[in-house]
Amino acid sequence: MTDQQKPTGRLRGRRALLAGAGVAVLAAASFAALPEASASLPATPSGWTQVFADDFNGTSGTGVNTGNWLYDLGHGYPGGAGNWGTGEIENMTNSTANVYLDGSGNLAIKPIRDGSGNWTSGRIETQRTDLAAPAGGKLRIEARLQQPNVNTGNGAGYWPAFWALGAAARGTGASGWPGIGEIDIMEDINGRSSEFATLHCGTSPGGPCNETTGIGSGERACGGCQTGFHTYAVEQDRSTSPEQIRWYLDGNNFFTVNANQVDATTWNNATHHGFFIILNVAIGGGFPDAFGGGPNGSTVSGQPMLVDYVAAYTSGSGGGGGGGGGTGGKAIKGPGGLCLDVRSSGTANGTPVQIYTCNGTGAQQWTYVEAGTTLHALGKCLDIPNGSTANGAKLQLWDCNNTAAQVFIHRADNTYYNPQANKCLDDPSGSVTPGTQVQIWDCNGSGAQKFSLPA
């Protein structure tokens, strides 16, 4: 497979360096190796709704399903920090030498060193950015995988990871991290038969989340994780008080972060929105360096991380589709104090959505959920026609369908951001004129793009 151009409008920031002195190594704990890759996804747990899944079944040597995944290419996001902001040295490709289905129900991400000592590897992320815990509910992200079969003698520099970034990361650039939230579900370095779990949030350096280290579990023993499949999961729980994020290895909760460990604004900005999932194997960088460094002359080439499946589930308020909950049936005020309005209270697909004098009618009663089909009125959703990403695309009402054309993330600056288009809800030319149909436009922070949450 030939290299493709990297998608535009993506995060141009950096991942955290998780290095830190005094990381505790727990006493060795043995986890029995699970059977090799299963033929199908596990049954959805009782009380949960599956909102995303890929079991990586397919012909040996083929690439991933690009309906579910996109490839990160090169040494960093366009315009962002090189080496993905972490000092890693590999070149990420979409070659089936590096990222491929193995024909036995697994995804393989394989780092390879060439004769000149240069490394290539793979990094993929979900097309969807709307995997979110509904208000009052939960989100669970889970994968069953085998870490690269290396050890501390020949794994120097290996850095496999299964993690998630806040949806706004696709478009905010370096300034968005770490405030937009990063949840590291599984990381290992240098073949140490262990794993690390971390939440990144707040500001960097320092801040309420101790960046760039983050709020982490420290090093946890993971016996057999290089030689067998184990299940790694995280649950974001908004049904408890305080809210929690919990990490699991083979069903055992080994680390928890509570919302009251940081201030409410930091927590909300980092967690109350959609996420996308990332799988990658890096080589080198600040995190491996903190534990002896690498790669070196003893580092083996070509040991893949194998992934049996990835799945996401929601439960509680709001149900499936990755979103739910939120406020309901209230006005959204925009430029000039006008309200977001469904023209003539129409309920037909394609009815224009406009700004209009606030009048309290049902056409101005919006429900906001934090992912998926985001803005609801009259039983339908705010929608970008045909999923357009062009400046000036006029917005309409349409049947809710959980597509990227219906994702509008309300950000701290009072803009509604659509990640797929990398654009914002906008009053054309700042008209402040009742009856003007709203559109999407490059995010610019102007008054024409300021819209409140339903209130």
Side-chain angles (χ1 to χ4, degrees):
M1 182 181 296
T2 59
D3 284 354
Q4 303 168 356
Q5 291 296 313
K6 188 181 301 179
T8 60
R10 307 271 311 290
L11 171 68
R12 291 173 292 182
R14 62 192 185 98
R15 284 202 63 206
L17 297 181
L18 302 180
V23 179
V25 181
L26 295 188
S30 175
F31 295 97
L34 300 177
E36 296 308 300
S38 59
S40 60
L41 287 159
T44 299
S46 176
W48 295 83
T49 299
Q50 185 184 97
V51 294
F52 174 83
D54 196 329
D55 60 2
F56 302 112
N57 289 329
T59 304
S60 177
T62 58
V64 296
N65 177 353
T66 54
N68 286 341
W69 304 93
L70 53 82
Y71 293 89
D72 289 328
L73 302 178
H75 294 279
Y77 290 109
N83 299 321
W84 302 106
T86 66
E88 58 201 73
I89 64 171
E90 80 294 330
N91 178 46
M92 295 298 190
T93 84
N94 60 4
S95 167
T96 51
N98 295 118
V99 185
Y100 59 92
L101 305 183
D102 71 355
S104 297
N106 300 319
L107 164 70
I109 301 181
K110 179 189 290 187
I112 300 171
R113 179 176 52 207
D114 66 19
S116 299
N118 299 312
W119 287 86
T120 57
S121 191
R123 171 171 160 149
I124 60 172
E125 56 189 59
T126 55
Q127 295 277 3
R128 288 184 57 173
T129 63
D130 61 349
L131 303 172
K138 304 178 195 176
L139 168 72
R140 180 179 177 91
I141 300 174
E142 175 180 305
R144 185 167 175 266
L145 61 87
Q146 178 180 321
Q147 296 178 13
N149 192 8
V150 293
N151 55 44
T152 52
N154 60 22
Y158 270 70
W159 185 1
F162 163 45
W163 50 297
L165 270 175
R170 285 205 190 141
T172 60
S175 62
W177 188 92
I180 46 78
E182 174 182 329
I183 302 174
D184 299 324
I185 307 167
M186 185 289 298
E187 294 186 286
D188 182 42
I189 37 86
N190 300 344
R192 292 172 63 91
S193 195
S194 60
E195 75 151 327
F196 298 77
T198 310
L199 171 67
H200 292 282
C201 50
T203 57
S204 181
C209 306
N210 189 34
E211 299 300 347
T212 56
T213 300
I215 303 173
S217 65
E219 187 172 13
R220 301 297 178 109
C222 192
C225 286
Q226 281 98 346
T227 57
F229 284 85
H230 294 261
T231 301
Y232 303 84
V234 69
E235 287 184 8
Q236 180 191 356
D237 189 347
R238 300 185 62 188
S239 68
T240 63
S241 182
E243 295 180 7
Q244 293 184 328
I245 300 176
R246 299 185 292 268
W247 284 258
Y248 297 83
L249 174 62
D250 292 332
N252 298 309
N253 174 207
F254 69 91
F255 181 56
T256 299
V257 175
N258 295 305
N260 59 7
Q261 291 178 233
V262 298
D263 62 274
T265 297
T266 294
W267 182 265
N268 293 347
N269 289 345
T271 67
H272 288 183
H273 50 65
F275 285 85
F276 57 95
I277 300 168
I278 303 175
L279 296 162
N280 70 285
V281 181
I283 295 292
F287 195 11
D289 284 350
F291 292 83
N296 57 40
S298 299
T299 303
V300 298
S301 172
Q303 294 298 310
M305 177 171 71
L306 300 176
V307 185
D308 178 13
Y309 69 83
V310 175
Y313 310 90
T314 58
S315 73
S317 300
T327 58
K330 296 181 180 179
I332 294 176
K333 291 190 176 181
L338 299 177
C339 282
L340 196 66
D341 178 275
V342 180
R343 185 170 292 170
S344 302
S345 299
T347 58
N349 281 341
T351 300
V353 175
Q354 60 187 11
I355 52 173
Y356 200 76
T357 304
C358 297
N359 54 33
T361 64
Q364 297 180 359
Q365 302 302 297
W366 294 90
T367 299
Y368 175 76
V369 299
E370 290 165 340
T373 51
T374 309
L375 285 167
H376 302 237
L378 302 176
K380 297 198 173 182
C381 285
L382 183 67
D383 179 272
I384 306 172
N386 301 312
S388 174
T389 61
N391 276 336
K394 298 297 191 288
L395 303 189
Q396 61 184 7
L397 201 68
W398 199 268
D399 291 331
C400 298
N401 54 32
N402 282 317
T403 64
Q406 296 183 353
V407 175
F408 291 88
I409 299 167
H410 193 265
R411 303 196 292 189
D413 64 352
N414 276 334
T415 60
Y416 282 94
Y417 171 70
N418 178 263
Q420 174 177 262
N422 189 29
K423 290 180 170 58
C424 285
L425 176 64
D426 182 273
D427 171 23
S429 303
S431 70
V432 198
T433 302
T436 301
Q437 188 173 2
V438 293
Q439 63 182 10
I440 55 171
W441 198 267
D442 291 331
C443 299
N444 53 38
S446 69
Q449 297 183 350
K450 305 293 186 181
F451 290 84
S452 69
L453 282 167

